[in-house]
Amino acid sequence: HQRHPLPRGQASATALNAIGAGVLARPLHTPGGDTMYRITLIPGDGTGPELTDAMRLCVEATGVPIEWEVHQAGAEVMEQRGTPLPDEVLESIRRNKVAIKGPITTPVGSGFRSVNVALRKELDLYACLRPCKYYEGAKGRYPEADLVVVRENTEDLYAGIEFQRGTSECA
């Protein structure tokens, strides 16, 4: 993996909370006494690296001191290592408690199982929380909106189990 430190600034619990989607990253204390946060970053493939670069610029603007622990996953990793999701990626996420992942290609019909589904299963990420809130000054049709959509993430369509119609598995 690669580590990419961002410029240091004052840690903001609010900004970090937004980064960690409600879960604070484990703080790291540097020899100088400063506090940094280490976050696993999986750039992904296709548009993933471009999108994660843009995300990092936004995160840098918060002033939260972050050390990125970058790990690769996806189709290119599958070709090189025989698995699209190496163990060290999961170990990093478990250790750091927070990860940000860019889009990762899922082959249709063959190849390997979706990295998204594998992450959800391995890390028991049952629910996807999508907060929806109106912010003063932003254009919106529903200024009174303030809700959270909870989407089941690991069963039914997201279980990663598919069977061909007409086979005994579908009966």
Side-chain angles (χ1 to χ4, degrees):
H1 72 275
Q2 306 161 12
R3 292 201 174 139
H4 299 277
L6 295 177
R8 290 192 170 164
Q10 293 294 342
S12 160
T14 303
L16 189 61
N17 200 23
I19 294 165
V23 179
L24 291 178
R26 180 176 298 156
L28 303 170
H29 301 288
T30 65
D34 296 331
T35 300
M36 291 192 73
Y37 297 89
R38 185 175 296 149
I39 295 177
T40 302
L41 175 63
I42 307 166
D45 51 27
T47 61
E50 182 179 351
L51 293 171
T52 55
D53 284 348
M55 174 277 308
R56 284 178 61 168
L57 290 174
C58 294
V59 171
E60 285 179 35
T62 69
V64 176
I66 293 176
E67 180 181 343
W68 297 104
E69 192 172 312
V70 180
H71 289 274
Q72 302 299 325
E76 191 173 306
V77 175
M78 177 67 180
E79 290 175 18
Q80 296 168 354
R81 311 243 338 248
T83 177
L85 184 60
D87 290 339
E88 63 266 15
V89 178
L90 292 167
E91 291 165 10
S92 174
I93 296 168
R94 288 183 176 115
R95 180 177 56 255
N96 296 329
K97 306 294 185 204
V98 174
I100 298 177
K101 179 192 73 60
I104 295 177
T105 302
T106 300
V108 179
S110 65
F112 57 86
R113 180 176 171 200
S114 163
V115 171
N116 294 325
V117 171
L119 283 168
R120 292 173 189 153
K121 290 285 191 180
E122 287 291 325
L123 301 170
D124 195 23
L125 303 174
Y126 177 78
C128 176
L129 303 177
R130 302 281 177 117
C132 303
K133 181 177 174 65
Y134 173 79
Y135 290 96
E136 194 66 41
K139 280 184 159 181
R141 292 179 62 184
Y142 306 100
E144 66 281 356
D146 187 3
L147 62 105
V148 175
V149 176
V150 180
R151 188 183 95 191
E152 186 282 320
N153 232 8
T154 58
E155 297 175 359
D156 192 40
L157 296 174
Y158 300 101
I161 301 171
E162 299 178 15
F163 299 108
Q164 184 71 32
R165 184 191 298 182
T167 62
S168 61
E169 291 88 359
C170 280

